Amino acid sequence: MKKLNNIAIKLIASDFFLYSGWGLIAPIFAIYITEQIEGGTIEVVAFATALYWIAKSIIQPFLANIIDLLDGEKDDFKLLIMGTLAVALVPFGYVFATQVWHIFFLEFLRGVAMACIVPAWFGIFTRHISKGWEAFSWSIQSTSTGLAYGFAAAFGGVIVLAFGFGAVFIFVGCLKILSAIILFLTYKDFFTKNE
């Protein structure tokens, strides 16, 4: 049986909680905006989604280039932590959002935060995959995030019906904080072993 090293396991666990949170929000996001946000329309949903993807896509390569130019992995790890903590703020922001500009601001923040997370996470994970286990390691990562997103998406609507949007957003924020805590627990293993 193939094994993943301790760092890879903790990174996958962190990613699991990160993506399960967004899985809870994804199916209800359009309904939330159109029903709970003043002036919220389908167009607002589309522009908010576009703003997230455009911000993430434009900023991400620049951050990736910077962390590749810097020696060591502390910069990668710090960027990963900062991005994860920033992305944890977004669902809490949804709880208090009432205007369209609030949604645009939160989606821009999410895009910037994910632009920090993605290259840092992929860089660290890639460097700590056990040699000869690359395909298996990436398949476990993809499977865990896919299952997290899938199961969470199935329950997002159920939770909204039972407890409301605010409860879902608070729960999602807590999942993001749990993701950051797992990364903090990785710090000791990571830097004791590598630096």
Side-chain angles (χ1 to χ4, degrees):
M1 175 76 181
K2 294 185 176 185
K3 292 182 182 177
L4 295 172
N5 69 40
N6 194 34
I7 292 170
I9 290 168
K10 287 181 180 175
L11 286 171
I12 289 170
S14 173
D15 231 22
F16 178 87
F17 291 107
L18 185 75
Y19 284 95
S20 63
W22 292 123
L24 283 166
I25 292 175
I28 62 167
F29 190 62
I31 298 166
Y32 161 71
I33 289 176
T34 57
E35 291 186 0
Q36 303 289 314
I37 301 300
E38 184 179 330
T41 64
I42 294 301
E43 291 85 0
V44 170
V45 175
F47 283 119
T49 302
L51 183 60
Y52 162 75
W53 283 106
I54 291 168
K56 177 184 175 290
S57 299
I58 290 172
I59 296 168
Q60 185 172 273
F62 293 103
L63 292 176
N65 188 48
I66 291 168
I67 61 176
D68 280 344
L69 291 174
L70 297 173
D71 288 334
E73 291 186 310
K74 281 191 177 183
D75 55 309
D76 303 48
F77 193 79
K78 288 176 184 175
L79 193 64
L80 179 59
I81 291 287
M82 286 185 337
T84 304
L85 291 173
V87 87
L89 297 175
V90 174
F92 293 115
Y94 289 148
V95 173
F96 302 103
T98 58
Q99 304 291 319
V100 168
W101 74 267
H102 297 160
I103 299 301
F104 288 161
F105 172 77
L106 290 167
E107 284 303 289
F108 178 78
L109 175 61
R110 185 167 75 100
V112 172
M114 290 304 291
C116 296
I117 292 169
V118 172
W121 193 98
F122 282 140
I124 294 169
F125 189 74
T126 299
R127 286 187 292 271
H128 293 279
I129 294 174
S130 299
K131 185 147 177 69
W133 304 53
E134 295 87 357
F136 178 76
S137 299
W138 279 108
S139 71
I140 294 299
Q141 185 275 337
S142 179
T143 298
S144 70
T145 56
L147 289 172
Y149 204 95
F151 283 118
F155 292 108
V158 173
I159 296 171
V160 166
L161 286 174
F163 304 106
F165 287 106
V168 171
F169 296 141
I170 290 169
F171 183 61
V172 169
C174 291
L175 288 174
K176 305 288 179 229
I177 291 169
L178 181 57
S179 177
I181 289 169
I182 292 169
L183 292 174
F184 279 117
L185 295 175
T186 305
Y187 185 87
K188 183 178 177 182
D189 296 333
F190 188 82
F191 290 109
T192 300
K193 183 175 182 178
N194 296 288
E195 294 193 11

